[in-house]
Amino acid sequence: MNIAVIFAGGSGVRMGAGIPKQFLEINGKPIIVHTLELFENHNEIDKIYIVMLEDYIPYMNKLVKKFALSKVCGIVKGGETGQDSIYNGLKKAQSENPDDSIVLIHDGVRPWVSYDTICNNIEGVKKNGNAITCTPCFETILMSTTGKTVETVPYRKDTYAAQAPQSFYLGEIIADHDKVRATENRYDNLVDSCTLIKSIGKEAHMVEGNRGNIKVTTPEDVYMYRALIQYRENEQAFGIGSTPDILKQK
C-alpha cells in the first residue's frame, strides 16, 4: 500500500492573500487541488490523506467532490505545529492501513513534483527504508548564526536542498514521532521529517527530485508556478521547442 499524506495546514501569512495559500486559485483550481491531482493520477498511489486547518475541512470536502479526487480517504484537522499536524495525518492513515505501507509526506503547496520523483520515493523506501527528495544547490550556501557575518561556506558540491515528498514505512515514521514527542523539547527546531529522524540518530537516504518542485509560499512563487503551467500548456499545444532543465522530470 502506497499512501500520500498531504500537509496543507498553513495560514498563508507570508503570502498576504487573506486566505491560506493552498486555496489560492491558479488556472481555475486551488493550489491544493493541483497538488492532489499529481497523486490522484499516479498509478502507484493507492490512498491520500489530507491534513489542514479545521475551519477549512468543509470547503476541502467540497473540492474533493468537485474535482473527483477519489483516492482521498480522509481529511484530518491539524495540530499546534506542522509536525503535530503531520502526526495527526499519519495516525489517521495507521488506523486504516498496515504499518508496512509506504507513506509519502508532501506539502500541499508543492504542485509541481514530477511523476518520476514520486516513483523514486517509493523505490527509495523499498531499498533503504526512507527517501528524502533533494536537488543539488546551484547557489553558494552561507552559514551564519547572526545573520550579519559569514562564518562558514560549505563546498557547493556538497550542498543540497531538501524538498518533498519525504517517504517512510508508516509504522516506522510514527514510532520515530513517538520518540520525539516523548522528549522535553518535542518538535523544537524540527522543520521536516528528515530533520526529525536525524534528531534521533537515524540515517536519511536521498533521492533526486525535479528542479521545478517549488514550494508556493510567496507571491513570486505564484508567478513562477503560473509560468511553469503556461510553458507546459504551450509545449503541449504546439509540440515544439526543447524543454528547459527546470521542467525536465528526473
Side-chain angles (χ1 to χ4, degrees):
M1 185 71 68
N2 299 322
I3 301 165
V5 171
I6 309 299
F7 168 63
S11 61
V13 173
R14 280 174 287 180
M15 186 68 72
I19 61 171
K21 55 184 176 290
Q22 58 268 25
F23 294 117
L24 288 175
E25 286 200 5
I26 298 179
N27 282 32
K29 296 179 186 178
I31 292 171
I32 181 65
V33 172
H34 286 281
T35 302
L36 289 167
E37 286 183 337
L38 299 176
F39 293 88
E40 174 75 25
N41 297 326
H42 198 288
N43 291 339
E44 294 191 57
I45 297 298
D46 302 300
K47 294 183 177 182
I48 302 170
Y49 294 87
I50 308 169
V51 189
M52 62 173 37
L53 296 170
E54 185 174 13
D55 290 347
Y56 287 88
I57 290 177
Y59 178 51
M60 190 70 244
N61 277 314
K62 292 179 181 178
L63 292 177
V64 168
K65 292 179 181 178
K66 178 179 179 180
F67 293 97
L69 300 170
S70 62
K71 291 182 182 179
V72 174
C73 297
I75 304 174
V76 184
K77 70 176 181 179
E80 290 185 11
T81 70
Q83 291 304 315
D84 283 312
S85 296
I86 289 171
Y87 183 76
N88 290 352
L90 293 171
K91 291 296 287 185
K92 174 63 174 178
Q94 187 184 43
S95 72
E96 300 177 352
N97 301 281
D99 279 351
D100 63 355
S101 300
I102 293 174
V103 58
L104 293 81
I105 301 170
H106 192 72
D107 296 314
V109 289
R110 282 192 189 272
W112 198 266
V113 61
S114 74
Y115 191 97
D116 288 348
T117 296
I118 294 172
C119 293
N120 292 344
N121 270 259
I122 293 168
E123 290 306 308
V125 174
K126 291 178 180 178
K127 180 180 179 181
N128 296 312
N130 60 59
I132 309 299
T133 303
C134 302
T135 55
C137 289
F138 286 86
E139 295 183 350
T140 301
I141 303 300
L142 310 177
M143 302 296 292
S144 174
T145 56
T146 64
K148 296 180 179 179
T149 59
V150 176
E151 293 165 6
T152 58
V153 184
Y155 289 118
R156 188 190 304 175
K157 67 180 181 64
D158 296 332
T159 60
Y160 295 80
Q163 299 180 333
Q166 298 186 0
S167 306
F168 311 86
Y169 284 113
L170 178 59
E172 290 185 15
I173 188 60
I174 289 176
D176 295 340
H177 270 267
D178 287 337
K179 288 180 183 178
V180 170
R181 292 169 70 86
T183 65
E184 181 180 355
N185 293 329
R186 296 181 84 249
Y187 293 128
D188 286 356
N189 298 316
L190 301 184
V191 297
D192 61 7
S193 300
C194 177
T195 316
L196 185 147
I197 67 168
K198 290 299 293 179
S199 75
I200 57 173
K202 296 188 72 171
E203 192 169 53
H205 298 271
M206 301 161 63
V207 294
E208 188 171 0
N210 57 294
R211 288 284 298 167
N213 185 17
I214 62 172
K215 185 175 181 180
V216 182
T217 305
T218 68
E220 291 82 5
D221 298 327
V222 172
Y223 304 143
M224 182 178 293
Y225 181 54
R226 283 177 175 155
L228 290 170
I229 293 175
Q230 186 65 49
Y231 187 94
R232 180 176 60 189
E233 290 176 348
N234 289 343
E235 189 177 52
Q236 291 172 346
F238 298 105
I240 58 174
S242 59
T243 303
D245 289 342
I246 195 170
L247 296 178
K248 289 181 180 177
Q249 295 186 352
K250 297 181 179 181

